[in-house]
Amino acid sequence: MRYISETDFSEIVISIRDLIEKKNQGALVNLLIDMHPADIADIFGNLKKDERKYLFPLLPAEQASAVLTELNPPIVDQLLEDVSEKDLSTLLDKMDSDDAADIISDLPTDIAQNVLDQIPAEVSEEVKELLTHEEDTAGGLMALEFVSVNLGNSVNEAIKTIRKAKKTISTIHNLWVVDDDGVLVGSVSLTDLVLAKGKSLISKIVDRDIQFVYTDMDQQEVAILFRKYDLVALPVVNAAQQLAGQITIDDIIDVVEEEASEDISLFAGASDEEIQEDSFIKISWVRLPWLMVAFSGQLIAALIIQSFETTIAQLIALTFFMPLIMAMGGNSGIQSSIIVIRGLATGEISADSTWHRFFRELRVSLFIGLVFGLLIACIVGLWQNMMMGIVIGCTLNVVILQASLFGGLIPFILKKVNIDPALASGPFITTLNDIFGLLIYLLVITTSIPYF
Amino acid sequence: MRYISETDFSEIVISIRDLIEKKNQGALVNLLIDMHPADIADIFGNLKKDERKYLFPLLPAEQASAVLTELNPPIVDQLLEDVSEKDLSTLLDKMDSDDAADIISDLPTDIAQNVLDQIPAEVSEEVKELLTHEEDTAGGLMALEFVSVNLGNSVNEAIKTIRKAKKTISTIHNLWVVDDDGVLVGSVSLTDLVLAKGKSLISKIVDRDIQFVYTDMDQQEVAILFRKYDLVALPVVNAAQQLAGQITIDDIIDVVEEEASEDISLFAGASDEEIQEDSFIKISWVRLPWLMVAFSGQLIAALIIQSFETTIAQLIALTFFMPLIMAMGGNSGIQSSIIVIRGLATGEISADSTWHRFFRELRVSLFIGLVFGLLIACIVGLWQNMMMGIVIGCTLNVVILQASLFGGLIPFILKKVNIDPALASGPFITTLNDIFGLLIYLLVITTSIPYF
């Protein structure tokens, strides 16, 4: 297999587009034949829709199947539009069970059923079994391609099992050891197997101190386990502790990226799925809800400002600092919420430490509030008048305090009621803090205007 | 070894704190003796500073050394304050070379030198060698604990090498194969080794089609390779292609999390290192610069508003919609920048696709601008007057367009001049878009006020 370096990549994409335009099928097949499926998937990501649809059917089934598992959902959907149910069955048959299940779960129900009917029964049974698990649980992540040996087997028998398994499993990390009832007992590393005598019994070299998870564990928890214990493969068991499947690190690295991208996207109210999306309607559709939150919030802000119209008419200068008060509240709120959200996601902050965080945030925001409160008091004092400076300084202090505590606490509350804490960031918290900041500011100014 | 389930965790922390208060050293040692270092590290994360400092010296050197490698920098610093240089040398001696190098690189130079002097020469040579590489490159990530065999060795000789290596290396994934000059030739998987005959030559079973990286490759690029090709271990070579070290997936999963946290933190101008930090001065110090950007930007906004004082006095109602215009610009800008930043970080967007992105953003923002422009035009039309509605609607459209294009393009520009694109998000882009939005809004309103 050939790997493509980053520097060659653009050139290869250009020549492939050129060959597609010339409809030179022979040259295309030759060029792609020994490429890594992940490289071909990257190339697909850089082609236009029509080019992808021309190129995909040229790939041999084995390669096409591998490329599909590497592509993002919007592109997979495009490519499968033109593939017959029969060809699709062939492609799925060549995949690992978990990859096949992922693709089938995204198909419309009737097509999925037809496709499943055409796959050999043993494969479709596996896929159906995997489809019973929620997508973002250990059961949804696991594959059925793993190597298990019986506690009573000898090392030589285990090696025979590996020889057989090697045809369908690309990389073997561990052998899982089960008893006669299929209950998970422990694991044997390949290193231990290499060093053991052929006639030794597995029961002599099995490591019984291993981590395992149940099929219904949330994928984020699974990722935390992998990271914490530096795992490469993790066995999954059903409620009766019988070995049901295996999760490998390559799927976990995707989960980590996915969850991070999801968090990042929630901050902005955008979705990382749009990275490969070309339809502007679909992209806008993802972005609109968050913008609508901001829009509605700012309409409320407009109403609040209107209700203080007389105060503003009395002292136009107070509008100068409206954006400043709102922005400082919004930004402080985001800072404290983002840390808590990230810590909760990676497991570095436990849900129990709410009060500890609260007091920490209290000290930090009092200090930050003091710094900017003093600063703006001096600036406004020199620019307008001393009294106004003092009032605005105190207000900014209160606004920063309120926004930080709010930002630091809401993620904990969401976590407690089982809502994704990441929702507490982005337009939602900023808009809320904008409104609170504005209200506090206008109320304080109105009360103190007689003393200016 | 014993693993702690999430449900037991809080209870164990409580009993440990209790035992620390009672100064019951015997019970503490018994409780911790068979725990996984990663669990002990988690417990340390939930203790107060004094409790940590009491508990740490009670751990046996082997365990203390393993726990240190799992802890975050602020806690490591706390614990090492009271450790003598001699004890520290003992702890470092028991670590993998890359972990030891990480800890030493964080020490003050004079202490680091003293500590290195007390470690056995062969270990300190390794650490010094690793310290010559930049922290965020392949050389900075790699460990010197790996297994390599010569192309001319037999399988039996390779197995002997593994037996020897097993004492210092916890998990072996692959054997790297080198020629007589130490140049990397390929790899042998443990599976292939298990299945090979003892007398076969390594040269017969070596896989020469492997990925490797040079010591100076950026860690983010390394992570992209791991993710793309589903790697578990990757050999690192020097400029002469000689095998220099090995990077394993557990380090990469940390890199992925780290880079994601870094991106997320840059959006907010906070740092994920503060998760474990307790000093409010240090936390504020990290947050202040970004807030200062926002503060300065909003002072400029205040000046802009002041310069339109006469317009505002003429029509107070125009202030109602100032926050709305600014917020819609800020949020649209964040949405388009966040997608580009994330895509550039994960490798899903190539730096060449600037124009493609530009036109996509153009279409999306024109559409979104149209939606909210029409909406605000109707609302203002009913609330104030028709003409004002049309003017504000058109302005909002322009502001959203400007903010989105700005947000989508700046990350590409930063990438081209080798600045982290993530800087383009957060307070910086929001504040800039706030100011532009405000300026556009006030200019348009001032020009069109005669027609209201």
Side-chain angles (χ1 to χ4, degrees), chain B residues 166-184:
Chain B
K166 229 211 128 188
K167 283 166 203 152
T168 49
I169 308 179
S170 47
T171 317
I172 300 170
H173 302 289
N174 282 83
L175 312 191
W176 307 121
V177 182
V178 294
D179 67 13
D180 293 337
D181 299 323
V183 171
L184 178 71

Side-chain angles (χ1 to χ4, degrees), chain A residues 1 3 6 10 36 38-39 42 46 70 72 159 162-163 166 172-173 190-192 194-195 209 211 221 227-230 232 249-250 252-254 256-257 260-261 264 267-271 274-275 277-278 280 283-284 287-288 290-292 294-295 298-299 302-303 305-306 309 312-313 316 319-320 323-324 326-328 331 334-336 338-339 342-343 346 348-350 352 356-357 360-361 363-364 367-368 372 375 379 383, chain B residues 1 3 6 10 36 38-39 42 46 70 72 159 162-163 166 172-173 190-192 194-195 209 211 221 227-230 232 249-250 252-254 256-257 260-261 264 267-271 274-275 277-278 280 283-284 287-288 290-292 294-295 298-299 302-303 305-306 309 312-313 316 319-320 323-324 326-328 331 334-336 338-339 342-343 346 348-350 352 356-357 360-361 363-364 367-368 372 375 379 383:
Chain A
M1 205 166 306
Y3 295 95
E6 223 188 328
S10 324
H36 194 288
D39 283 325
D42 269 7
N46 280 273
E70 305 276 349
N72 287 326
I159 291 176
I162 292 180
R163 199 180 302 276
K166 230 211 128 187
I172 299 171
H173 303 289
L190 285 175
T191 315
D192 288 334
V194 169
L195 300 180
D209 257 342
Q211 274 285 333
E221 311 267 314
R227 204 184 161 201
K228 184 168 171 186
Y229 298 119
D230 293 344
V232 172
I249 184 79
D250 51 300
I252 292 302
I253 224 173
D254 292 339
V256 170
E257 284 257 9
S261 289
I264 292 176
F267 295 146
S271 156
E274 70 163 78
I275 290 180
E277 181 60 67
D278 268 328
F280 74 93
I283 298 173
S284 307
R287 295 191 187 179
L288 279 171
W290 261 151
L291 288 176
M292 196 52 93
F295 186 80
Q298 301 298 343
L299 279 182
L303 283 172
I305 301 175
Q306 189 194 29
E309 210 173 343
I312 296 175
I316 301 281
T319 61
F320 301 172
L324 186 137
M326 294 171 87
M328 293 305 284
N331 279 318
I334 285 257
Q335 286 190 330
S336 45
I338 226 158
I339 291 300
R342 195 63 197 147
T346 58
E348 285 177 279
I349 295 181
S350 79
D352 305 331
H356 176 71
R357 286 283 138 185
R360 221 195 60 162
E361 228 26 84
R363 276 175 298 154
V364 173
F367 179 73
I368 290 181
F372 287 106
L375 212 55
I379 293 170
W383 184 358
Chain B
M1 205 166 308
Y3 294 95
E6 224 190 328
S10 325
H36 194 288
D39 283 324
D42 269 6
N46 280 273
E70 304 277 348
N72 287 327
I159 291 177
I162 293 180
R163 198 179 302 277
K166 229 211 128 188
I172 300 170
H173 302 289
L190 285 175
T191 316
D192 288 333
V194 168
L195 299 179
D209 256 343
Q211 273 285 333
E221 311 268 313
R227 204 182 161 202
K228 184 168 171 184
Y229 298 120
D230 292 344
V232 172
I249 184 79
D250 51 299
I252 292 302
I253 227 174
D254 292 340
V256 170
E257 284 258 9
S261 289
I264 291 175
F267 295 147
S271 156
E274 71 164 78
I275 290 181
E277 181 62 65
D278 267 328
F280 75 93
I283 298 173
S284 307
R287 293 191 189 180
L288 279 172
W290 261 151
L291 288 176
M292 197 53 92
F295 186 80
Q298 300 299 343
L299 279 182
L303 283 172
I305 301 175
Q306 190 193 28
E309 211 173 344
I312 296 175
I316 302 281
T319 62
F320 302 172
L324 187 136
M326 294 171 87
M328 294 305 285
N331 280 316
I334 285 256
Q335 287 189 330
S336 44
I338 226 160
I339 291 299
R342 194 63 196 146
T346 58
E348 285 177 279
I349 295 181
S350 79
D352 306 331
H356 176 71
R357 287 282 137 187
R360 222 196 58 165
E361 228 27 84
R363 276 175 296 153
V364 173
F367 179 72
I368 290 181
F372 287 107
L375 212 56
I379 293 171
W383 185 357

Side-chain angles (χ1 to χ4, degrees), chain B residues 157-430:
Chain B
E157 284 169 317
I159 291 177
K160 255 184 224 159
T161 312
I162 293 180
R163 198 179 302 277
K164 235 169 89 186
K166 229 211 128 188
K167 283 166 203 152
T168 49
I169 308 179
S170 47
T171 317
I172 300 170
H173 302 289
N174 282 83
L175 312 191
W176 307 121
V177 182
V178 294
D179 67 13
D180 293 337
D181 299 323
V183 171
L184 178 71
V185 177
S187 81
V188 171
S189 74
L190 285 175
T191 316
D192 288 333
L193 203 68
V194 168
L195 299 179
K197 295 217 172 77
K199 284 175 186 159
S200 317
L201 284 180
I202 291 295
S203 58
K204 294 283 177 203
I205 57 171
V206 61
D207 176 6
R208 289 167 187 268
D209 256 343
I210 61 161
Q211 273 285 333
F212 62 88
V213 295
Y214 292 97
T215 47
D216 60 353
M217 184 185 251
D218 183 81
Q219 64 174 7
Q220 206 164 350
E221 311 268 313
V222 176
I224 291 175
L225 277 184
F226 263 86
R227 204 182 161 202
K228 184 168 171 184
Y229 298 120
D230 292 344
L231 305 173
V232 172
L234 180 70
V236 183
V237 299
N238 62 20
Q241 303 245 1
Q242 288 162 322
L243 185 59
Q246 153 179 295
I247 301 174
T248 47
I249 184 79
D250 51 299
D251 295 319
I252 292 302
I253 227 174
D254 292 340
V255 169
V256 170
E257 284 258 9
E258 220 178 82
E259 299 269 349
S261 289
E262 224 179 86
D263 281 1
I264 291 175
S265 307
L266 277 173
F267 295 147
S271 156
D272 59 309
E273 287 203 2
E274 71 164 78
I275 290 181
Q276 304 275 7
E277 181 62 65
D278 267 328
S279 146
F280 75 93
I281 296 283
K282 279 191 193 163
I283 298 173
S284 307
W285 198 245
V286 175
R287 293 191 189 180
L288 279 172
W290 261 151
L291 288 176
M292 197 53 92
V293 170
F295 186 80
S296 316
Q298 300 299 343
L299 279 182
I300 297 174
L303 283 172
I304 293 175
I305 301 175
Q306 190 193 28
S307 66
F308 288 89
E309 211 173 344
T310 7
T311 316
I312 296 175
Q314 250 180 295
L315 185 67
I316 302 281
L318 79 85
T319 62
F320 302 172
F321 307 103
M322 250 164 40
L324 187 136
I325 298 279
M326 294 171 87
M328 294 305 285
N331 280 316
S332 308
I334 285 256
Q335 287 189 330
S336 44
S337 67
I338 226 160
I339 291 299
V340 174
I341 291 169
R342 194 63 196 146
L344 287 172
T346 58
E348 285 177 279
I349 295 181
S350 79
D352 306 331
S353 58
T354 319
W355 287 110
H356 176 71
R357 287 282 137 187
F358 177 81
F359 287 114
R360 222 196 58 165
E361 228 27 84
L362 189 70
R363 276 175 296 153
V364 173
S365 56
L366 275 175
F367 179 72
I368 290 181
L370 199 71
V371 170
F372 287 107
L374 273 175
L375 212 56
I376 194 71
C378 297
I379 293 171
V380 176
L382 293 171
W383 185 357
Q384 304 289 328
N385 66 67
M386 207 52 231
M387 192 56 207
M388 188 170 171
I390 294 172
V391 171
I392 292 187
C394 293
T395 312
L396 184 56
N397 206 322
V398 172
V399 167
I400 289 178
L401 182 70
Q402 170 270 323
S404 303
L405 293 184
F406 218 65
L409 283 183
I410 288 193
F412 281 109
I413 296 171
L414 292 184
K415 176 97 181 176
K416 291 248 155 85
V417 294
N418 266 324
I419 298 175
D420 187 344
L423 277 171
S425 198
F428 177 73
I429 200 110
T430 324

Side-chain angles (χ1 to χ4, degrees), chain A residues 229-284:
Chain A
Y229 298 119
D230 293 344
L231 306 174
V232 172
L234 180 69
V236 183
V237 299
N238 62 20
Q241 304 245 0
Q242 288 162 321
L243 185 59
Q246 152 178 297
I247 300 175
T248 46
I249 184 79
D250 51 300
D251 295 320
I252 292 302
I253 224 173
D254 292 339
V255 169
V256 170
E257 284 257 9
E258 220 178 81
E259 299 268 348
S261 289
E262 222 179 272
D263 282 1
I264 292 176
S265 307
L266 276 173
F267 295 146
S271 156
D272 59 309
E273 287 202 3
E274 70 163 78
I275 290 180
Q276 305 275 6
E277 181 60 67
D278 268 328
S279 145
F280 74 93
I281 296 283
K282 280 192 191 161
I283 298 173
S284 307

